[in-house]
Structure formats: structure tokens, C-alpha cells
């Protein structure tokens, strides 16, 4: 026992403990629920059989039924639009802000800190704020658009099928922009200033320096941000619950909200688990991109 104890405190056993404890934690809180969710996707699960592990096995029927439902295509399209629109908006606005704060002007650090408010706020609180902003009768956004002459009448962002999804996209862009800004600012600060000085001496203008130095040097950071953005966007649920509730008529419904609706409103836990499994595949793809984007980073 003394030999075992000494190996744990001052030997290879200590390394095994350091690895084994978090691995056990991940297996218990992430691995087992994931396997259970996959199992549910091949079973017929309702309220009466939810508490049992042994349930009727239906094979791929949940998957086949899911893709034959009339609303599936529109919800998948909404999910693609939501993911692409959110990631694009967050990245472009975040990159612009990172470049803006890269200029070290007085008060830049304080102003940069204000942008972090959106990231630390709970999603439901952000949804409540954007409910007021997007209100069709007294919303701030409608007021600003009318004052600038961009529109002449109110737009009911949350209840109009043509705008409901974009209302959530706007809120999600605002929510995730500061996260993109911080990561991109960190990547910009790692670029040696000597490269820009040498390029400027060679006659390169600002756009040429950005295109030939900034973007290539930021490639791994950009890949990581896009991968993380895909993961966070596919997890976004609070904004839909707070702003549109997936409506009207599924015009703003997306896969993650649909999985919750099937499971906890329609009590079809098998199909809800099926959607979750499909989304997990995309999240694993994004995680692979993230790992490949960061594996060449130098740590010291």
C-alpha cells in the first residue's frame, strides 16, 4: 500500500489520477447522457415509458418519420439561415470592432469593456431586451428606421413570418459579437508589428497589408472562431423562447428549439432525441475544425 500511495503522490500514478478524475467526470456528466440520448433516438419514448431504459425498439423509424414531416425542410432551412447569418454577422462586426480597438486611443480599454456586457448577460435577459427593441408598436428599432427615412410604417419583427427569424438573428449577433471581438483582438495582438513596418516601407497600402499579413496570420484564429460560433449558435435556445417561440407558423423555428418542442411540449422524446443526435454530428464536425485550427498554436 505504501508503494501504491507513493506512486500516486510522486510518480506515474499521480499523472493517471490527474487524467482519470476529469475523464470520469466527463464520462459521467457528458458521455453517459450522450449514449442515453442516442439510445432514445432508436426507441419509442413517451411520457409513460420515459422512466424505463427498456422500451420498444423502432430502429431508424424516428429518423425516417422526422424527414417525412412537412415542417422538417423549412425548419432545417431556418437553421442554416440562422447559423450562417449569426456567424457571419458576429464575425464581421466583431472583426471591425477588433480592428477599431487595435488603434490604441484614450479610453479604448474602457469602451472595449462595455461591449462585454452583452456576452455576460443571460440569454433570456437579452431576449427580453430585444423584445422591447423589436416591438412593432413602440420598439426602438422601428423608431430609428422611421427617423432615418429607411421605412415609413412599423415592421412587426416578432410576428411577421418574413422577419421573425431575422429578429432572432439580430439579437444573436448582438449577443455574440463581443466574444468574437475579444478573440480576434487577441489574434491581432499576436501579429509582430515588424511585418507591418516592413510592408509599409515596401509601399504596401492599408488594404494590401490587411490582405497579405493580417488575414494569413489570423487564419488559425478565424478557424477557431467560426468553429466555436457554430457550436454556440447550434446551442442557442433562450432567444427563441424569449422572442418568437418558434413562430409564427414555424417561420422562426430551428432544429434546437424544435427538439425541445417535440420533447417537452409534444412529449415525443424519441424524435426530440433524434434531432439532438443529428445536431451532435454537426457539433462534432465543428469541434474537429476547432482542434485542427488550434493544434499549430505555440504555447509556452
Amino acid at each position: 500500500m505504501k508503494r501504491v500511495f507513493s506512486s500516486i503522490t510522486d510518480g506515474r500514478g499521480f499523472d493517471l489520477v490527474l487524467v482519470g478524475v476529469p475523464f470520469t467526470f466527463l464520462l459521467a456528466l457528458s458521455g453517459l447522457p450522450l449514449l442515453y440520448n442516442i439510445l432514445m433516438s432508436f426507441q419509442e419514448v413517451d411520457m409513460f415509458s420515459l422512466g424505463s431504459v427498456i422500451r420498444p425498439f423502432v430502429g431508424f423509424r424516428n429518423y425516417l418519420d422526422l424527414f417525412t414531416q412537412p415542417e422538417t425542410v423549412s425548419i432545417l432551412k431556418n437553421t442554416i439561415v440562422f447559423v450562417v447569418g449569426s456567424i457571419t454577422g458576429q464575425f464581421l462586426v466583431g472583426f471591425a470592432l477588433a480592428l477599431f480597438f487595435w488603434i490604441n486611443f484614450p479610453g479604448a480599454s474602457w469602451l472595449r469593456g462595455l461591449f462585454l456586457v452583452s456576452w455576460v448577460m443571460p440569454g433570456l435577459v437579452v431576449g427580453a431586451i430585444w423584445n422591447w427593441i423589436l416591438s412593432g408598436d413602440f420598439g426602438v428599432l422601428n423608431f430609428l428606421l422611421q427617423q432615418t427615412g429607411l421605412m415609413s410604417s412599423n415592421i412587426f419583427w416578432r410576428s411577421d413570418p418574413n422577419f421573425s427569424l431575422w429578429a432572432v438573428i439580430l439579437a444573436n449577433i448582438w449577443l455574440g459579437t463581443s466574444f468574437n471581438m475579444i478573440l480576434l483582438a487577441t489574434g491581432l495582438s499576436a501579429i509582430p508589428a515588424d511585418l507591418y513596418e516592413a510592408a509599409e516601407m515596401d509601399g504596401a497600402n492599408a488594404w494590401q497589408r490587411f490582405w497579405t499579413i493580417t488575414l494569413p496570420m489570423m487564419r488559425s484564429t478565424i478557424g477557431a472562431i467560426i468553429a466555436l460560433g457554430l457550436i454556440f449558435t447550434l446551442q442557442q435556445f433562450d432567444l427563441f423562447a424569449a422572442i418568437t417561440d418558434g413562430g409564427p407558423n414555424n417561420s422562426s423555428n430551428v432544429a434546437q428549439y424544435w427538439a425541445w418542442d417535440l420533447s417537452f411540449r409534444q412529449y415525443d422524446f424519441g424524435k426530440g432525441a433524434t434531432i439532438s443526435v443529428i445536431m451532435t454530428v454537426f457539433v462534432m464536425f465543428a469541434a474537429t475544425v476547432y482542434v485542427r485550427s488550434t493544434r499549430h498554436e505555440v504555447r509556452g
Side-chain angles (χ1 to χ4, degrees):
M1 291 297 296
K2 182 178 180 181
R3 185 176 180 181
V4 173
F5 181 77
S6 63
S7 68
I8 293 177
T9 57
D10 191 27
R12 181 176 297 178
F14 181 71
D15 297 334
L16 295 177
V17 171
L18 288 179
V19 176
V21 171
F23 179 78
T24 304
F25 178 82
L26 289 175
L27 179 63
L29 296 184
S30 298
L32 293 180
L34 177 61
L35 294 176
Y36 182 72
N37 189 75
I38 296 174
L39 176 64
M40 286 179 60
S41 69
F42 294 101
Q43 295 176 327
E44 183 179 346
V45 189
D46 53 25
M47 289 184 62
F48 304 101
S49 61
L50 184 61
S52 175
V53 178
I54 306 300
R55 293 177 286 248
F57 183 78
V58 296
F60 288 94
R61 194 182 74 186
N62 287 330
Y63 292 87
L64 296 176
D65 291 347
L66 191 69
F67 284 98
T68 56
Q69 293 184 209
E71 65 269 28
T72 300
V73 175
S74 62
I75 291 177
L76 291 179
K77 288 182 179 179
N78 290 342
T79 305
I80 294 174
V81 172
F82 176 69
V83 170
V84 174
S86 297
I87 293 177
T88 303
Q90 291 173 358
F91 176 78
L92 293 178
V93 179
F95 208 167
L97 289 173
L99 291 171
F100 175 71
F101 287 116
W102 198 21
I103 306 173
N104 193 14
F105 58 90
S109 59
W110 291 93
L111 187 59
R112 188 189 301 114
L114 292 177
F115 281 92
L116 293 178
V117 173
S118 63
W119 178 246
V120 300
M121 291 176 65
L124 288 175
V125 176
V126 174
I129 293 174
W130 277 89
N131 260 332
W132 299 329
I133 295 175
L134 299 169
S135 175
D137 297 322
F138 55 84
V140 176
L141 183 58
N142 279 341
F143 174 79
L144 293 176
L145 291 176
Q146 289 181 9
Q147 291 298 313
T148 54
L150 295 177
M151 71 178 195
S152 57
S153 60
N154 288 337
I155 296 178
F156 291 87
W157 298 92
R158 296 175 297 161
S159 58
D160 190 331
N162 296 318
F163 297 100
S164 57
L165 181 61
W166 292 103
V168 186
I169 291 175
L170 283 175
N172 195 45
I173 290 174
W174 184 83
L175 178 63
T177 292
S178 57
F179 177 74
N180 281 254
M181 178 191 71
I182 293 299
L183 292 185
L184 289 167
T186 303
L188 287 173
S189 63
I191 301 176
D194 297 343
L195 296 177
Y196 293 102
E197 294 176 359
E200 189 174 3
M201 292 179 62
D202 290 338
N205 56 34
W207 170 252
Q208 291 172 333
R209 295 195 298 271
F210 174 79
W211 187 257
T212 58
I213 298 177
T214 305
L215 285 182
M217 296 291 291
M218 294 278 291
R219 184 174 58 183
S220 61
T221 302
I222 292 173
I225 288 175
I226 293 176
L228 289 174
L230 177 60
I231 295 173
F232 292 149
T233 304
L234 287 175
Q235 292 177 340
Q236 182 53 251
F237 169 84
D238 298 344
L239 294 180
F240 290 94
I243 297 177
T244 63
D245 202 25
N249 194 25
N250 286 324
S251 61
S252 64
N253 202 359
V254 291
Q256 59 267 35
Y257 191 79
W258 193 26
W260 173 84
D261 183 76
L262 286 172
S263 297
F264 300 105
R265 280 184 174 173
Q266 304 179 34
Y267 303 110
D268 193 344
F269 298 98
K271 287 191 177 66
T274 301
I275 298 175
S276 300
V277 171
I278 295 173
M279 293 180 61
T280 301
V281 174
F282 290 100
V283 171
M284 292 177 64
F285 169 75
T288 303
V289 174
Y290 173 72
V291 171
R292 290 178 62 88
S293 300
T294 58
R295 65 180 180 177
H296 299 298
E297 291 182 358
V298 178
R299 293 175 174 85

